[in-house]
Amino acid sequence: SEAYAKKIESLRKLGEYSHAQKEIDSTPEKLKGNTEILHEQGWLYFDQGNLKKACDEFARISQSHPSSI
């Protein structure tokens, strides 16, 4: 799961936002809900200037995984 999240992070940091989103959308079922990947979704929204979605994502993570924030 860490390697998959790092792949998404790398794409995001390179500005490959659509590719990063495709990776998030195709996350294997066993990794859905992984906090690292959820964080990447939040940062992807943030980096694209979608602050409302970023805040909503981070709020959702803090409610479902309070120790990860």
Side-chain angles (χ1 to χ4, degrees), residues 6-7 10-13 22-23 25 35 40 47 56 58 69:
K6 290 294 183 187
K7 178 181 181 181
S10 295
L11 291 167
R12 177 179 61 80
K13 288 184 174 181
K22 285 179 187 175
E23 289 295 326
D25 293 343
T35 56
E40 282 306 315
D47 288 351
D56 290 347
F58 291 131
I69 298 291

Side-chain angles (χ1 to χ4, degrees), residues 1-17 19-24 27 35-44 47:
S1 64
E2 183 179 348
Y4 196 78
K6 290 294 183 187
K7 178 181 181 181
I8 296 166
E9 178 184 15
S10 295
L11 291 167
R12 177 179 61 80
K13 288 184 174 181
L14 289 169
E16 298 286 336
Y17 300 138
H19 194 181
Q21 187 62 60
K22 285 179 187 175
E23 289 295 326
I24 291 170
T27 298
T35 56
E36 292 175 60
I37 295 170
L38 296 174
H39 278 111
E40 282 306 315
Q41 180 67 78
W43 285 116
L44 182 59
D47 288 351

Side-chain angles (χ1 to χ4, degrees), residues 26-55:
S26 64
T27 298
E29 195 62 39
K30 68 180 181 177
L31 297 179
K32 293 201 187 268
N34 175 281
T35 56
E36 292 175 60
I37 295 170
L38 296 174
H39 278 111
E40 282 306 315
Q41 180 67 78
W43 285 116
L44 182 59
Y45 288 143
F46 181 86
D47 288 351
Q48 294 177 91
N50 194 333
L51 302 183
K52 169 76 171 111
K53 281 189 172 183
C55 286

